[in-house]
């Protein structure tokens, strides 16, 4: 395994995968308190000119769709195994009042899981597989001391350079306590290459008054008995194991006690990759420019990872900080908007990054699927560069110059700001992070017809400087002063649009929505959603709820619509393929030709290979499916008395409880259904059997003429909109910036109050109940919505 001894300044052949321009070095910094020493990667000197020009040459052993810059000829990364084939679905017959007589469910009963994340062995041993990815600092480090003014965010939720390759791993937790033994074993599972010096901290030392940012009672490492006890752990091996049989978070000087069911254990792993000039390669000749860099790809080698909370006999749980000193405690089920996928409370003052995190219960291999999909979501289809660290992350060569001749943005993340919503530009600025759907005058929802100029949507930018200008802008806002019964006034604004090109006969302007929770929505059984439909208003409450039905563009099967402002997409795959084509002009197996924008007959039968392969399309789908939903911020956190409380945690729990009750009393839950349960057939085990709180029934409702545009989709008329999920609503002002959060399909509403007042049609009675509340009661409802 060791590289050959080389003269000073000469690089082993394993560095042949380095790309010029990758500039990552490692700076070590010691952690204080009871924590173990660790470090974070920082940007350093560029690679030496000695790097072989053959660096970017493709490898014959590369898995299909694998980026060319991953791995080397010795530590060849393990390709992600293909997802198991899913059984065919059979049509389900339904009452014609629902709009169709039969449809195909997304997943059949008995569908296998992509990766098993938890199971019990015959003797009762509970096995949990915990996926990890690299981070830069600890969960409670805020970027400054707890007691001083805010100087900037921490770096716990960030994604360091080359996070997407060779740096995911996991821990298999073998909990023998349910089997009657006071023993827990933890097996390090490396996804790619070799780890050297990985550390593991457990049991937050809550009895030490000096512990704040970090500090654990048990600091250990994964040592390999087959390699003389050295902390060297390799992909494909299960040799690195630690075990413990007692509870460590006890007052100083007191004895440990035996583990028991219900004990909570904080887990804080930190990984070190095999690296030049240190660890297993200490003393070997190496160029200074490579010292400390990862052997597998020449990038950073030392990282932190997520801090998780494990409950003995139960598994991983999202956590929040309680007294004293933000000690870890399980979040109550009522706060878990995304069930077990929910993101724990964030104490590193990074609320702007909470939409970008992995599901809390993610599996080990699925963590690799997640980061690979995230890379593509951030990749420019023009330059191949990553939106983060663009000069340090290697170019994704497979996707250079795939951008269409006309487009709106060159990467997915450009419309979904930090996985949130579109940037809403000022008057006169191009709306190129929003979608402008178009149709011909004779177009209907059942029989859509493309606009003669734009097709199905306006692609506002062109790679040809001489091409016609197809910009769409907000020309002006028509304002209305709306007065509530008690005299409170709300200023409403409605945009008027201007087209540089011909004005389409029908169009709909829509902001990109936040993308968290999409996998959980896909995991809902159709029967769960259809049970909420009431197309004939049987109960007489004025609220109907109509499903939209979508013909899958690849198979032609009819599916229940779930995604988009009018529920006009049936699957994540369909949603992604539609966005790739319309927003970037990038073809995929869903829409194989750009002619699909014009309904050309060769749309599905295009003979040329699409830009995005099926592998890459699956990666994007996996990424969206496995995003965490932030937990509801409805509990007061246990900040010490001398600590500045982070703004996102400065909440009034009583006000939120009152607001939630008033929200239900106003009958808002007739559309914004508070609680649902996902089914048992989605390929991701992480998403199965989850009690979720999306505050949506995912059905179409007529919202009145004030919110109507001029374009229909399927069963959705111009005034009908899918009930938007409300989870993540309170995080939007942080994700988008204090003045950047906008609400409703076209972003016209600047505040939640405006968004509510715009509700009409089937929502008229609920809006009237809200308006009849006292000003304090309305404030309680807004506080509740802001906690979601």
């Amino acid at each position: 395994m060791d590289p050959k001894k080389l003269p000073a300044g000469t690089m082993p052949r394993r560095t042949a995968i380095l790309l010029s321009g990758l500039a990552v070095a490692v700076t070590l910094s010691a952690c204080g308190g009871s924590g173990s020493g660790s470090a974070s990667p920082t940007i350093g000197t560029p690679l030496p000119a000695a790097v072989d020009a053959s660096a970017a040459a493709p490898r014959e052993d590369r898995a299909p769709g694998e980026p060319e810059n991953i791995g080397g000829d010795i530590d060849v990364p393990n390709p992600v195994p293909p997802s198991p084939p899913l059984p065919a679905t059979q049509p389900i017959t339904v009452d014609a009042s629902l709009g169709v007589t039969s449809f195909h469910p997304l997943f059949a009963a008995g569908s296998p899981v992509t990766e098993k994340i938890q199971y019990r062995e015959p003797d009762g041993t509970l096995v949990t597989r915990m996926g990890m990815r690299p981070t830069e600092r600890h969960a409670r480090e805020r970027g400054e001391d707890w007691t001083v003014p805010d100087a900037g965010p921490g770096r716990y939720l960030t994604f360091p350079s080359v996070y997407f390759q060779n740096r995911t791993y996991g821990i298999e937790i073998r909990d023998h306590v349910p089997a009657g033994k006071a023993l827990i074993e933890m097996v390090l599972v490396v996804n790619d290459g070799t780890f050297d010096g990985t550390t593991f901290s457990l049991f937050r030392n809550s009895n030490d008054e000096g512990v704040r940012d970090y500090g654990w009672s048990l600091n250990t490492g994964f040592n390999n008995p087959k390699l003389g006890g050295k902390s060297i752990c390799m992909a494909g091996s299960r040799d690195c194991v630690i075990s413990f049989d007692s509870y460590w978070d006890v007052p100083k000087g007191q004895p440990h006690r035996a583990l028991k069911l219900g004990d909570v254990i904080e887990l804080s792993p930190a990984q070190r990759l095999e690296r030049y000039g240190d660890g297993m390669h200490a003393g070997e000749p190496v160029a200074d420019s490579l010292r400390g860099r990862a052997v597998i790809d020449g990038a950073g080698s030392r990282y932190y990872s997520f801090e998780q909370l494990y409950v003995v006999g139960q598994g991983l749980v999202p956590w929040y900080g309680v007294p004293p000193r933000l000690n870890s405690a399980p979040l109550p089920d009522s706060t878990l908007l995304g069930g077990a996928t929910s993101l724990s409370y964030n104490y590193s003052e990074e609320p702007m990054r909470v939409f970008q995190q992995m599901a809390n219960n993610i599996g080990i291999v699925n963590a690799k699927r997640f980061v690979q999909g995230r890379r593509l979501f951030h990749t420019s289809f023009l330059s191949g560069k990553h939106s983060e660290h663009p000069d340090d992350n290697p170019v994704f060569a497979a996707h250079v110059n795939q951008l269409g001749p006309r487009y709106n943005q060159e990467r997915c993340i450009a419309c979904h700001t930090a996985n949130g919503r579109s940037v809403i530009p000022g008057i006169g600025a191009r709306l190129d992070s929003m979608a402008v759907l178009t149709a011909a005058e004779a177009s209907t929802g059942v029989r859509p017809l493309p606009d003669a100029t734009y097709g199905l949507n306006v692609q506002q930018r062109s790679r040809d400087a001489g091409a016609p200008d197809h910009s769409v802008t907000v020309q002006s806002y028509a304002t209305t002063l709306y007065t509530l019964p008690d005299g409170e006034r709300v200023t409403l604004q409605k945009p008027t649009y201007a087209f540089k090109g011909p004005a389409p006969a029908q169009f709909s302007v829509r902001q990109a929505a936040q993308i968290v929770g999409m996998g959980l929505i896909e995991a809902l059984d159709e029967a769960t959603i259809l049970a909420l439909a009431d197309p004939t208003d049987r109960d007489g409450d004025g609220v109907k709820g109509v499903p939209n039905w979508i013909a899958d563009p690849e198979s032609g099967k009819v599916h229940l619509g779930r995604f988009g402002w009018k529920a006009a997409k049936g699957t994540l795959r369909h949603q992604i393929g539609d966005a790739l084509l319309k927003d970037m002009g990038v073809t995929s197996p869903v829409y194989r030709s750009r002619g699909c924008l014009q309904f050309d007959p060769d749309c599905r039968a295009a003979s040329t290979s699409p830009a995005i392969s099926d592998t890459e399309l699956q990666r994007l789908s996996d990424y969206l499916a496995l995003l965490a939903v932030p937990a509801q911020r409805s509990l007061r956190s246990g900040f010490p008395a001398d600590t500045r409380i982070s703004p996102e945690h400065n909440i009034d729990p009583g006000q939120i409880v009152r607001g939630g009750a008033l929200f239900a009393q106003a009958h808002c839950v007739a559309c914004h259904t508070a609680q649902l349960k996902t089914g048992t057939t989605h390929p991701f085990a992480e998403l199965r059997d989850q009690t979720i709180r999306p505050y949506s029934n995912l059905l179409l409702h007529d919202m009145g003429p004030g919110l109507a545009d001029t374009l229909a989709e399927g069963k959705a008329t111009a005034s009908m909109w899918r009930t938007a999920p409300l989870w993540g609503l309170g995080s939007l002002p942080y994700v988008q910036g204090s003045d950047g959060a906008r609400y409703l399909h076209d972003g016209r509403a600047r505040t939640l109050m405006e968004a509510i007042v715009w509700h009409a049609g089937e929502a008229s009675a609920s809006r009237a109940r809200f308006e009849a509340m006292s000003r304090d009661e309305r404030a309680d409802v807004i506080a509740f919505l802001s906690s979601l």
Side-chain angles (χ1 to χ4, degrees):
M1 182 174 58
D2 291 350
K4 297 177 181 179
K5 303 295 184 180
L6 298 173
T10 304
M11 293 184 295
R13 189 167 181 268
R14 268 187 285 190
T15 63
I17 44 73
L18 300 178
L19 296 183
S20 59
L22 185 64
V24 183
V26 171
T27 300
L28 301 183
S29 61
C31 291
S34 301
S36 58
S38 48
S40 57
T42 57
I43 304 304
T45 56
L47 293 177
V51 172
D52 193 333
S54 66
R59 300 192 327 265
E60 292 182 0
D61 58 358
R62 191 176 70 251
E66 199 78 36
E68 292 183 357
N69 58 306
I70 286 184
D73 61 349
I74 298 178
D75 282 324
V76 177
N78 301 317
V80 170
S83 299
L86 298 177
T89 59
Q90 300 300 318
I92 295 175
T93 302
V94 292
D95 189 278
S97 66
L98 293 174
V100 295
T101 55
S102 68
F103 70 92
H104 276 264
L106 293 189
F107 309 108
S111 295
V113 295
T114 303
E115 178 184 6
K116 189 178 291 187
I117 61 171
Q118 190 176 60
Y119 58 93
R120 290 188 187 271
E121 295 181 340
D123 68 349
T125 297
L126 178 65
V127 180
T128 303
R129 294 173 59 82
M130 176 179 76
M132 292 278 111
R133 60 102 173 162
T135 64
E136 295 183 282
R137 295 302 302 176
H138 291 297
R140 296 176 182 83
E141 287 186 288
R142 296 164 33 146
E144 66 281 325
D145 189 83
W146 284 15
T147 60
V148 302
D150 184 19
R155 292 184 291 130
Y156 172 63
L157 295 182
T158 58
F159 288 80
S161 298
V162 296
Y163 67 88
F164 44 77
Q165 61 187 40
N166 307 320
R167 285 160 179 78
T168 61
Y169 65 104
I171 296 174
E172 183 179 286
I173 304 169
R174 298 184 56 78
D175 183 353
H176 298 280
V177 178
K181 304 175 186 177
L183 176 67
I184 293 179
E185 297 173 303
M186 299 203 178
V187 183
L188 183 65
V189 180
V190 180
N191 277 333
D192 299 295
T194 300
F195 283 8
D196 178 11
T198 297
T199 59
F200 195 19
S201 300
L202 304 93
F203 298 100
R204 188 160 189 262
N205 194 356
S206 63
N207 294 286
D208 184 343
E209 293 184 359
V211 166
R212 287 198 172 189
D213 306 69
Y214 37 75
W216 293 271
S217 301
L218 172 58
N219 294 290
T220 183
F222 288 94
N223 298 324
N224 191 334
K226 293 184 178 180
L227 293 176
K230 295 180 180 179
S231 55
I232 299 171
C233 310
M234 293 158 286
S237 165
R238 295 176 56 85
D239 299 325
C240 293
V241 183
I242 67 167
S243 62
F244 52 93
D245 59 6
S246 60
Y247 187 79
W248 283 62
D249 187 12
V250 295
K252 188 175 182 180
Q254 293 190 13
H256 297 174
R257 60 166 174 80
L259 291 167
K260 66 179 189 297
L261 295 174
D263 278 343
V264 294
I265 306 172
E266 183 171 298
L267 313 176
S268 180
Q271 66 271 43
R272 293 202 70 174
L273 280 66
E274 178 188 7
R275 56 205 174 275
Y276 292 110
D278 191 16
M280 59 195 291
H281 297 291
E284 294 179 3
V286 62
D288 289 343
S289 58
L290 283 177
R291 188 174 301 278
R293 295 191 183 189
V295 169
I296 198 167
D297 58 15
S301 65
R302 193 171 186 180
Y303 304 90
Y304 300 96
S305 197
F306 262 39
E307 294 173 18
Q308 287 274 33
L309 194 65
Y310 182 81
V311 178
V312 176
Q314 177 181 341
L316 300 172
V317 295
W319 60 273
Y320 76 121
V322 299
R325 297 176 294 281
L326 295 178
N327 291 320
S328 303
L331 277 164
D333 289 346
S334 61
T335 66
L336 302 182
L337 302 181
T341 74
S342 300
L343 181 68
S344 301
Y345 280 16
N346 170 245
Y347 296 109
S348 55
E349 295 197 325
E350 298 172 272
M352 76 292 290
R353 299 187 179 111
V354 296
F355 286 171
Q356 301 185 58
Q357 308 309 315
M358 302 189 306
N360 190 75
N361 60 343
I362 197 167
I364 298 172
V365 179
N366 284 345
K368 182 174 178 178
R369 288 186 170 93
F370 177 91
V371 297
Q372 288 181 335
R374 186 184 190 273
R375 181 196 191 181
L376 190 51
F377 198 82
H378 284 253
T379 291
S380 165
F381 287 97
L382 180 61
S383 67
K385 287 192 172 186
H386 199 288
S387 66
E388 302 159 331
H389 310 296
D391 296 326
D392 302 307
N393 278 323
V395 170
F396 204 159
H399 301 293
V400 173
N401 209 33
Q402 288 184 330
L403 192 69
R406 296 203 70 98
Y407 64 101
N408 289 321
Q409 294 291 339
E410 62 188 61
R411 49 171 61 92
C412 304
I413 194 69
C415 289
H416 299 276
T417 306
N419 285 4
R421 301 189 177 186
S422 299
V423 173
I424 308 297
I427 291 177
R430 186 164 48 194
L431 299 174
D432 53 9
S433 71
M434 301 179 73
V436 183
L437 306 186
T438 55
E441 185 174 3
S443 180
T444 66
V446 177
R447 187 172 176 267
L449 298 173
D451 178 85
T453 300
Y454 310 114
L456 297 178
N457 77 300
V458 183
Q459 294 177 320
Q460 299 181 50
R461 303 168 72 181
S462 175
R463 297 177 64 179
D464 179 0
D469 187 351
H470 285 173
S471 296
V472 183
T473 61
V474 174
Q475 185 178 57
S476 62
Y477 285 100
T479 59
T480 303
L481 192 61
Y482 187 87
T483 304
L484 276 62
D486 64 357
E488 182 177 359
R489 295 183 174 183
V490 181
T491 301
L492 304 179
Q493 61 175 22
K494 185 174 183 178
T496 299
Y497 300 104
F499 290 80
K500 284 287 188 181
Q506 298 186 30
F507 70 93
S508 179
V509 178
R510 303 177 190 176
Q511 66 167 322
Q514 69 264 28
I515 59 176
V516 296
M518 296 181 77
L520 292 165
I521 290 173
E522 191 174 55
L524 288 166
D525 285 341
E526 287 82 0
T528 298
I529 300 172
L530 295 178
L532 302 171
D534 187 12
T536 60
D537 193 17
R538 294 185 305 272
D539 57 9
D541 66 352
V543 178
K544 295 181 178 181
V546 176
N548 208 352
W549 299 102
I550 308 303
D552 185 273
E554 295 177 272
S555 68
K557 294 179 179 179
V558 173
H559 293 308
L560 174 66
R562 301 167 187 253
F563 302 109
W565 289 101
K566 289 186 182 287
K569 308 295 180 297
T571 65
L572 278 175
R573 183 182 176 94
H574 184 185
Q575 176 72 25
I576 294 164
D578 186 81
L580 287 168
L581 184 70
K582 290 180 178 176
D583 297 329
M584 292 175 281
V586 175
T587 57
S588 72
V590 180
Y591 294 110
R592 305 184 70 87
S593 163
R594 295 189 182 102
C596 295
L597 288 172
Q598 297 283 354
F599 286 161
D600 283 359
D602 71 339
C603 173
R604 288 174 57 188
S607 58
T608 57
S609 297
I612 293 290
S613 68
D614 200 75
T615 297
E616 296 288 51
L617 186 62
Q618 187 64 51
R619 285 178 174 175
L620 282 171
S621 180
D622 292 348
Y623 169 62
L624 295 184
L626 291 168
L627 283 165
V629 177
Q632 184 184 12
R633 287 177 290 107
S634 55
L635 302 176
R636 196 76 177 175
S637 295
F639 288 96
D642 62 344
T643 302
R644 174 182 53 80
I645 298 176
S646 305
E648 65 268 29
H649 293 297
N650 194 12
I651 55 95
D652 181 346
Q655 184 183 33
I656 292 169
V657 170
R658 293 193 301 273
L662 290 166
F663 184 80
Q665 289 173 21
H667 205 42
C668 300
V669 292
C671 299
H672 292 284
T673 305
Q675 184 171 300
L676 298 169
K677 188 170 184 178
T678 63
T680 60
T681 58
H682 195 282
F684 284 134
E686 291 90 337
L687 308 178
R688 293 185 174 189
D689 281 317
Q690 297 300 318
T691 298
I692 62 175
R693 295 163 180 86
Y695 289 92
S696 172
N697 59 13
L698 304 175
L699 296 169
L700 300 170
H701 295 274
D702 191 324
M703 299 299 290
L707 288 177
D709 52 28
T710 59
L711 190 143
E713 289 184 275
K715 303 291 183 182
T717 65
S719 61
M720 295 176 75
W721 302 95
R722 182 195 71 156
T723 304
L726 301 183
W727 50 20
L729 201 63
S731 295
L732 274 178
Y734 300 101
V735 172
Q736 307 286 151
S738 58
D739 297 325
R742 294 291 185 271
Y743 310 96
L744 302 179
H745 67 279
D746 56 4
R748 70 178 68 180
R750 295 157 294 182
T751 65
L752 292 173
M753 179 70 82
E754 287 181 46
I756 294 170
V757 172
W758 272 110
H759 281 53
E762 294 178 40
S764 295
S766 292
R767 188 200 68 224
R769 294 185 188 99
F770 171 80
E771 292 174 356
M773 296 176 187
S774 69
R775 190 169 300 206
D776 286 345
E777 288 174 327
R778 292 195 295 269
D780 291 345
V781 173
I782 298 298
F784 162 71
L785 295 174
S786 298
S787 75
L788 297 177

